[in-house]
Each structure stands twice: as structure tokens, then as C-alpha cells.
């Protein structure tokens, strides 16, 4: 009995040693180094051959950057999403524009008075702009022969559709009917001096300096039929009445 018990103890001890050896073998990697377990996986950027992550690009059309929400992404020399500065208007007004106009008068024009054989008993007034700015001939000329005390009235049929405007160097015109062709006019006399006055922006207001165009040495004959046209842009319009 004692021998059988001793043999069983030995068998159990041998079996325990075998199990311990198997467990030790499972814990070793075969190189004599104990495996401490798998280490934490390396980041993608540290692994050789791993693809490089593509950074998110900015949306230049909206001025936002990736996921940061930053606005005003720089593009070129400007800043996306910013409001451009307005372009200043450096254009100057051209000569002759409304703001550069002046009234035509004796200080910026030359005036001539030319007697005509056709139409009969007519005088042509020509006003030439000698200034540097565009000028307006408003309404009609106010005429005065010598010391006459009345003002010749205009023919309303000659009223132009627009103010006669003269650029530098251009001329405007007015016709003067001196006397009735049939002799029906009263108080006929000879005028030797003519004063031409200019009107302002309202009727019968002063437009500035007057002019005294020379008359023929013998003067001109006029009577109560004396009338004038409104200032005209074309010479023909000043004579066709």
C-alpha cells in the first residue's frame, strides 16, 4: 500500500511539472525573450509607407478654412471674403458740360451786325464765342438804336425748342426786321449806333456785359415795325422768317 501511494504522488508531481513547462513555453516567443503583449498601434504618420493625409483646403469663394471656421483667407494680395474698396471716380467734367456753362455776353463773345439785301430790310446779328467755356444765348437780343426809349419785341414764331448753346469758337444768330417792306411802319429814322444787350436765365434779367457792334457809316433805317428773332443755332433759321 505504501509503495502504491508513493508512486501516485510521483505521477502527480510529474504531471504538474509538465503543465508548468507548457505554460512557460506559451509565454515565450522562442527566442528566450518574454512577450509582454502587443504594443499600442503606431500613428499613421509614423508608419513607413503610410499615405500622407491630405489637408482640407480653404473655400476661397466663401472665405472659410477647413474645419477651423476662420474667415478672410488670404488669396494673392487681397483677402477673400473682404469687401473691395470702391474705385474712385477721377474723371473730370468735360468742357461744355452743364456745370461749366456760362452766359454769352459782350465779355466772352464778338458781335457783328450785317445789313442784308435779302431778305429785304433785314439785319443779321452774329455772336461768336471767343471764351474758353461753352456759353448759352438765352431768349432774344435786346436792341437799342442810339437813344431809343422802347424795346423791339421778338417774333414768337421763331422761339427755338432748346437754348442756343455755343462751344468755344461756335456762332449763334438772330435776325432783325428793320422796317416794313410796304412802308406801313411809323416813325422811321436812321440809327447810327446799336447796343445789343443779353438776357440772363429769366426773361428780361441781365445776362452781363452788352456789345456795340459797328454799323455802316451811313447807319441803318428802321421804323415801328422793328422786330427780332430769338437766338438761333443756325444762320438760316435767323433769316427764314
Amino acid at each position: 500500500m505504501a509503495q502504491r501511494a508513493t508512486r501516485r504522488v510521483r505521477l502527480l508531481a510529474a504531471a504538474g511539472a509538465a503543465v508548468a513547462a507548457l505554460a512557460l513555453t506559451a509565454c515565450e516567443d522562442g527566442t528566450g525573450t518574454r512577450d509582454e503583449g502587443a504594443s499600442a498601434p503606431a500613428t499613421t504618420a509614423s508608419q513607413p509607407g503610410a499615405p500622407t493625409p491630405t489637408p482640407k483646403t480653404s473655400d476661397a469663394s466663401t472665405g472659410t478654412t477647413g474645419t477651423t471656421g476662420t474667415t478672410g483667407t488670404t488669396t494673392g494680395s487681397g483677402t477673400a471674403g473682404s469687401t473691395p474698396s470702391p474705385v474712385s471716380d477721377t474723371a473730370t467734367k468735360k468742357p461744355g458740360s452743364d456745370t461749366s456753362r456760362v452766359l454769352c455776353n459782350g465779355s466772352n463773345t464778338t458781335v457783328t451786325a450785317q445789313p442784308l439785301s435779302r431778305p429785304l430790310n433785314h439785319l443779321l446779328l452774329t455772336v461768336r464765342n471767343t471764351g474758353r467755356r461753352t456759353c448759352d444765348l438765352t431768349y432774344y437780343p435786346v436792341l437799342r438804336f442810339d437813344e431809343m426809349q422802347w424795346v423791339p419785341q421778338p417774333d414768337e414764331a421763331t422761339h427755338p425748342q432748346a437754348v442756343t448753346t455755343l462751344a468755344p469758337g461756335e456762332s449763334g444768330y438772330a435776325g432783325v426786321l428793320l422796317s416794313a417792306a410796304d412802308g406801313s411802319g411809323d416813325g422811321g429814322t436812321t440809327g447810327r449806333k446799336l447796343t445789343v444787350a443779353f438776357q440772363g436765365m429769366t426773361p428780361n434779367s441781365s445776362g452781363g456785359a452788352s456789345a456795340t457792334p459797328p454799323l455802316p457809316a451811313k447807319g441803318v433805317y428802321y421804323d415801328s415795325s422793328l422786330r427780332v428773332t430769338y437766338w438761333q443755332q443756325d444762320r438760316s433759321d435767323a433769316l427764314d422768317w
Side-chain angles (χ1 to χ4, degrees):
M1 290 292 292
Q3 292 179 350
R4 186 177 298 177
T6 301
R7 187 180 299 171
R8 179 176 296 178
V9 171
R10 290 178 179 176
L11 288 174
L12 291 173
V19 171
L22 289 174
L24 180 61
T25 302
C27 292
E28 293 178 350
D29 59 2
T31 62
T33 303
R34 186 174 181 177
D35 186 1
E36 295 296 336
S39 61
T43 60
T44 303
S46 63
Q47 294 180 4
T52 303
T54 302
K56 295 185 178 181
T57 58
S58 300
D59 186 356
S61 63
T62 60
T64 59
T65 306
T67 59
T68 62
T70 302
T71 59
T73 304
T74 301
T75 55
S77 59
T79 302
S82 61
T83 303
S85 301
V87 178
S88 60
D89 182 8
T90 58
T92 57
K93 293 184 179 297
K94 295 180 179 180
S97 63
D98 289 344
T99 56
S100 68
R101 289 185 183 181
V102 295
L103 291 171
C104 300
N105 56 44
S107 68
N108 55 17
T109 64
T110 56
V111 183
T112 60
Q114 178 186 0
L116 302 174
S117 57
R118 293 287 186 274
L120 188 64
N121 302 335
H122 275 67
L123 186 73
L124 177 66
L125 297 179
T126 302
V127 177
R128 183 175 181 272
N129 184 355
T130 57
R132 296 182 178 180
R133 302 172 68 181
T134 295
C135 67
D136 290 333
L137 283 170
T138 56
Y139 305 105
Y140 54 90
V142 179
L143 304 183
R144 184 183 186 189
F145 284 101
D146 300 321
E147 301 301 323
M148 66 186 298
Q149 300 300 309
W150 56 283
V151 177
Q153 294 302 297
D155 186 338
E156 292 298 331
T158 65
H159 199 301
Q161 294 182 351
V163 174
T164 296
T165 300
L166 306 180
E170 290 185 337
S171 297
Y173 309 90
V176 181
L177 173 62
L178 294 170
S179 60
D182 58 4
S184 60
D186 298 328
T189 187
T190 298
R192 302 190 182 278
K193 177 184 177 181
L194 174 63
T195 301
V196 179
F198 298 84
Q199 300 190 60
M201 297 306 296
T202 57
N204 302 316
S205 63
S206 175
S210 299
T212 54
L215 295 175
K218 63 178 182 178
V220 294
Y221 178 84
Y222 68 93
D223 61 22
S224 61
S225 302
L226 183 63
R227 289 184 300 162
V228 298
T229 69
Y230 282 80
W231 291 113
Q232 306 293 326
Q233 203 80 47
D234 296 324
R235 185 177 188 272
S236 59
D237 292 333
L239 298 176
D240 189 18
W241 65 295

